[in-house]
Amino acid sequence: MKISIRQKVFFFSLFLISAVGLIGYSAYKSRITFLDSEKWMNHTNQVIYQSTFILSLVKDIETSSRGFIITKDSTFLEPLIKAEKIIFLNAEQLRNLTQDNPAQLKRVDSLIFYLQKRLDLSKQQIEKRNQQVLTTGIALSSIKQGKSYTDYLNNISADIKREETDLLKLRKQSNQQSLSVYNNMALFMFILIMLFTVLLIFATGNYLTQNKARKKREAALNISNNEIAFQNAEKEKRAAEFGIANKELIFQNQEKEKRAAELIIANKELAFQNDEKEKRAAELIIANKELAFQNEEKEKRAAELGIANKELIFQNEEKEKRAAELIIANNELAFQNEEKEKRAAELINANKELLAFTYISSHDLQEPLRKIQTFVTIILENENKNLSDKGKYNFQRMQQSAGRMQQLIDDLLAFSRINTTEHTFEKTDLNLIINEVKSELRDNILEKHATIEASESCPVNIIAFQFRQLMYNLISNALKFSNPDIPSHIIIKSSIIKGTLLNDACIPASIKTGETDKIVPENFSPEKYYCHISVKDNGIGFEPHFSERIFGVFQKLHSKEVYKGTGIGLAIVKKIVDNHKGLITATSELGKGATFDIYIPAD
């Protein structure tokens, strides 16, 4: 079917509107992608600037403290005082910038932790120098602890910058791909528009040629009509003489009328086509107005985005207000801790009285036990020949029972001494304690063909001798309940985490009832840092609903004939963790080993 010029114009107009709309939409998407990329570039540059500025403040603190120690000139302290005022504000701003990235957020928390450590060390050096102790101040500035903190800060900052740089590269690459797709699409659409334009020009030229030929035919027809009229006049004169010619003339007139009617129809068709062209032109004008309206809508949305940015600034101000309120809440918590310490002092006095009673009771119990063991030993040695096999068995059972009773008394004394013994918290490397315990359990480790894997530990404030007892009980427990079919493997890990992440540590509220809620003790603060210690083994394990029961006194999950013990070891571990104001949980499945997780304050 032949397509008319009107239909060609219609299809071309439809295609042109579609192409312009597609190009406009692609330009809009490209603009949005560019703005998003620019926003992330600014975000990355701000994160890198903040981390670099924080490191420069650390350098100011370090340089200021060293200058004051050497010269005792208070002017050297001005950079330290300025840095102290703004360093944590900048760290909090860096933390806000990385809220959407959990890995970066964890690094920023570690950065804040070591910032506090470095600042505290500098203040300690300055305090010693103010006391006129030059040698002590210089000694403090010479130890490797300050360099270690600075190295930690440099490494963490480098990791933050590296993460942001990698993310920026990925976003730039994605933006470049989107831009390339848009450019290729725009080029393709431009070529199609040019092609369709050439076709339309060709069709229009052909139409104009045909129209010109039609006009020529109309002029010729008018001349022919004039000639026919002249001929009719001549024929009328000769009508009387030529009747046949008259009939012929009538026939010719009828034919002329038919051709005139066809010419009128053709003229109407031409007028209709012209009307359709005018309608398409009007539609194209409307489409241009619609495109202008869309551009105005884009500008309105850009204005709305500016308003949204102002709203974000207002929200940040509200966060700072809430941070101030949190400081007030922390002061209130400190007051409550002082009250708890007073009650703890009263409890210590009561425990001292209980310890005295325990020692007296244990002495009275141990004395007859020692006599029983002594007399049974004498009978077995001196009267062995006179005793029957059943008598020997009974005396041996008596001796074993007395030995278990003696062990039970010793464990009870150890349990009671935990809260009553004077103790001092000190900064300790956990790996030193683990190595001492491994040395003490060397024979048992060799017997079980066990391996103990301990990662690099974090320094933490603990009661050293109590924590040695805790690690001894956990490791010996893992060796005792090892799987006889495979060598025992124990993994010990430690890391610093913030209190806000404790709920993410998956601490079950009640394994017995199968609930999935999580618990955090009242004395745990989301703003403090905690040392997380994990002891994992591949032993026989236990059923999950026993995970809370095992920390009770005399709670044994296995018979004493299979696994020896008094059931107090894990109760001692629990009490030691309580003394450190910490939390311990146990997770296990039967036959799949057990994991003990300990959380204690890092300071």
Side-chain angles (χ1 to χ4, degrees):
M1 183 179 66
K2 187 176 181 181
I3 300 176
S4 65
I5 187 64
R6 182 179 62 184
Q7 292 173 327
K8 291 179 182 178
V9 172
F10 171 78
F11 288 131
F12 174 76
S13 301
L14 183 63
F15 170 78
L16 183 62
I17 292 171
S18 301
V20 171
L22 183 59
I23 293 174
Y25 176 77
S26 299
Y28 168 74
K29 293 296 290 184
S30 177
R31 177 63 177 172
I32 293 298
T33 304
F34 174 78
L35 291 175
D36 185 64
S37 175
E38 186 177 13
K39 182 185 75 173
W40 282 113
M41 288 175 63
N42 292 334
H43 176 273
T44 299
N45 292 332
Q46 191 172 2
V47 170
I48 294 173
Y49 169 77
Q50 286 293 116
S51 59
T52 304
F53 182 65
I54 289 171
L55 284 183
S56 68
L57 292 177
V58 172
K59 292 294 183 182
D60 289 344
I61 291 172
E62 185 176 1
T63 305
S64 178
S65 60
R66 287 180 179 175
F68 179 78
I69 289 171
I70 295 172
T71 64
K72 203 179 179 183
D73 185 354
S74 60
T75 56
F76 279 96
L77 295 180
E78 291 180 0
L80 184 143
I81 295 171
K82 292 180 180 178
E84 184 181 5
K85 290 179 179 178
I86 63 175
I87 190 167
F88 289 103
L89 292 177
N90 281 274
E92 189 62 29
Q93 291 176 1
L94 181 60
R95 195 174 192 277
N96 291 334
L97 288 172
T98 57
Q99 285 289 341
D100 60 331
N101 192 330
Q104 289 289 69
L105 188 60
K106 188 174 181 180
R107 294 188 183 102
V108 173
D109 288 338
S110 298
L111 183 73
I112 295 173
F113 174 75
Y114 287 111
L115 282 175
Q116 186 63 56
K117 292 296 181 184
R118 188 64 190 84
L119 182 60
D120 290 343
L121 180 62
S122 295
K123 288 183 176 180
Q124 184 181 4
Q125 294 169 351
I126 293 169
E127 183 179 356
K128 292 294 183 181
R129 187 65 181 95
N130 279 329
Q131 296 172 0
Q132 300 297 332
V133 186
L134 177 60
T135 55
T136 305
I138 294 176
L140 282 174
S141 64
S142 300
I143 61 176
K144 294 182 179 180
Q145 190 173 12
K147 182 180 182 301
S148 175
Y149 289 149
T150 303
D151 290 343
Y152 283 145
L153 291 169
N154 287 331
N155 292 337
I156 293 171
S157 178
D159 291 341
I160 292 173
K161 294 177 182 177
R162 188 181 306 111
E163 174 80 7
E164 289 297 326
T165 303
D166 292 341
L167 288 173
L168 182 60
K169 288 181 180 178
L170 291 175
R171 289 164 183 150
K172 284 184 176 179
Q173 184 177 2
S174 176
N175 185 42
Q176 189 64 33
Q177 291 176 352
S178 299
L179 186 60
S180 177
V181 170
Y182 164 72
N183 290 335
N184 291 335
M185 182 178 294
L187 179 61
F188 176 75
M189 295 304 298
F190 176 76
I191 293 173
L192 282 181
I193 291 172
M194 293 299 296
L195 180 60
F196 272 83
T197 302
V198 171
L199 291 176
L200 182 62
I201 292 171
F202 176 79
T204 303
N206 188 29
Y207 168 76
L208 292 176
T209 302
Q210 293 176 358
N211 194 30
K212 186 176 181 181
R214 189 181 296 112
K215 288 181 179 179
K216 288 182 179 179
R217 286 195 296 273
E218 289 176 357
L221 184 59
N222 289 330
I223 295 170
S224 177
N225 287 335
N226 293 330
E227 185 178 354
I228 289 172
F230 176 77
Q231 291 175 1
N232 287 334
E234 291 296 321
K235 287 179 181 179
E236 287 176 354
K237 293 178 181 179
R238 296 188 295 269
E241 300 174 352
F242 302 101
I244 298 172
N246 190 34
K247 293 181 180 179
E248 179 67 21
L249 181 61
I250 294 172
F251 174 76
Q252 291 177 356
N253 288 334
Q254 291 176 348
E255 288 297 318
K256 289 177 182 179
E257 289 174 356
K258 289 181 181 179
R259 286 196 294 274
E262 291 175 354
L263 182 59
I264 292 171
I265 293 172
N267 288 333
K268 289 182 179 179
E269 178 68 21
L270 181 61
F272 176 78
Q273 291 177 357
N274 290 331
D275 291 339
E276 288 297 319
K277 289 179 182 179
E278 291 176 356
K279 289 181 182 179
R280 298 296 177 273
E283 291 173 353
L284 186 60
I285 292 171
I286 293 172
N288 289 332
K289 290 181 179 180
E290 178 66 22
L291 183 60
F293 174 77
Q294 292 176 356
N295 290 332
E296 290 176 357
E297 288 296 317
K298 290 178 183 178
E299 292 175 355
K300 290 180 181 178
R301 286 195 290 274
E304 292 172 353
L305 182 61
I307 294 172
N309 288 333
K310 292 180 180 178
E311 179 65 21
L312 181 61
I313 293 172
F314 173 76
Q315 291 176 358
N316 289 333
E317 292 175 353
E318 288 297 316
K319 289 180 181 178
E320 291 176 355
K321 291 179 182 178
R322 288 195 292 275
E325 293 171 355
L326 184 60
I327 292 172
I328 295 173
N330 286 336
N331 293 334
E332 179 65 24
L333 182 62
F335 173 76
Q336 294 176 359
N337 288 336
E338 290 176 358
E339 291 296 318
K340 289 180 181 179
E341 288 174 359
K342 290 179 182 179
R343 291 194 292 273
E346 296 171 357
L347 184 61
I348 290 173
N349 292 331
N351 285 336
K352 288 181 179 179
E353 296 176 1
L354 179 61
L355 179 62
F357 171 77
T358 303
Y359 273 116
I360 294 172
S361 300
S362 64
H363 181 270
D364 292 342
L365 289 173
Q366 287 177 337
E367 181 62 26
L369 280 176
R370 282 196 294 269
K371 288 182 179 179
I372 291 172
Q373 288 179 310
T374 300
F375 287 129
V376 169
T377 301
I378 292 172
I379 292 173
L380 288 175
E381 289 179 354
N382 298 335
E383 303 297 333
N384 188 42
K385 296 179 180 180
N386 300 326
L387 293 174
S388 64
D389 292 339
K390 185 174 182 180
K392 293 177 183 178
Y393 173 75
N394 289 334
F395 276 112
Q396 289 172 352
R397 290 288 301 275
M398 185 185 302
Q399 193 175 39
Q400 292 173 357
S401 297
R404 284 197 297 273
M405 186 64 180
Q406 181 68 46
Q407 182 63 43
L408 182 59
I409 292 171
D410 291 340
D411 288 346
L412 284 172
L413 282 174
F415 183 76
S416 65
R417 279 197 296 265
I418 292 173
N419 284 342
T420 56
T421 306
E422 295 293 336
H423 53 261
T424 302
F425 283 85
E426 56 185 350
K427 211 69 161 180
T428 307
D429 187 349
L430 290 178
N431 279 343
L432 295 178
I433 293 177
I434 294 171
N435 290 334
E436 292 177 4
V437 173
K438 286 168 63 177
S439 178
E440 190 172 349
L441 294 172
R442 182 175 180 275
D443 294 338
N444 200 1
I445 292 172
L446 293 175
E447 179 185 350
K448 297 287 186 176
H449 302 288
T451 56
I452 300 177
E453 177 185 339
S455 61
E456 184 177 351
S457 65
C458 52
V460 63
N461 266 341
I462 57 175
I463 306 170
F465 80 92
Q466 286 190 5
F467 233 81
R468 190 177 296 108
Q469 180 69 44
L470 179 147
M471 297 307 299
Y472 180 90
N473 287 6
L474 288 179
I475 294 175
S476 62
N477 228 40
L479 294 172
K480 181 193 298 184
F481 297 105
S482 61
N483 193 326
D485 298 329
I486 58 175
S488 179
H489 184 56
I490 303 170
I491 301 174
I492 304 173
K493 296 180 179 179
S494 63
S495 62
I496 295 291
I497 65 172
K498 198 170 184 181
T500 51
L501 301 179
L502 280 179
N503 272 339
D504 295 333
C506 297
I507 306 170
S510 177
I511 298 176
K512 292 181 179 178
T513 60
E515 297 175 3
T516 58
D517 295 335
K518 301 170 184 178
I519 56 170
V520 176
E522 291 182 358
N523 60 321
F524 273 57
S525 169
E527 297 303 318
K528 289 185 178 180
Y529 290 86
Y530 295 88
C531 182
H532 172 209
I533 304 165
S534 171
V535 180
K536 182 178 181 181
D537 63 65
N538 62 342
I540 60 174
F542 55 84
E543 295 183 4
H545 61 272
F546 290 128
S547 62
E548 294 179 356
R549 172 182 165 188
I550 60 174
F551 293 111
V553 180
F554 304 130
Q555 296 296 322
K556 290 173 61 64
L557 304 183
H558 307 279
S559 63
K560 61 184 178 182
E561 288 79 9
V562 180
Y563 295 100
K564 296 180 180 180
T566 59
I568 299 179
L570 290 180
I572 292 175
V573 169
K574 178 69 166 59
K575 183 162 284 193
I576 291 173
V577 173
D578 291 342
N579 282 353
H580 289 75
K581 298 180 180 179
L583 169 70
I584 182 170
T585 64
T587 55
S588 177
E589 290 186 32
L590 198 62
K592 295 185 178 181
T595 302
F596 291 86
D597 291 293
I598 301 169
Y599 305 87
I600 61 173
D603 292 329

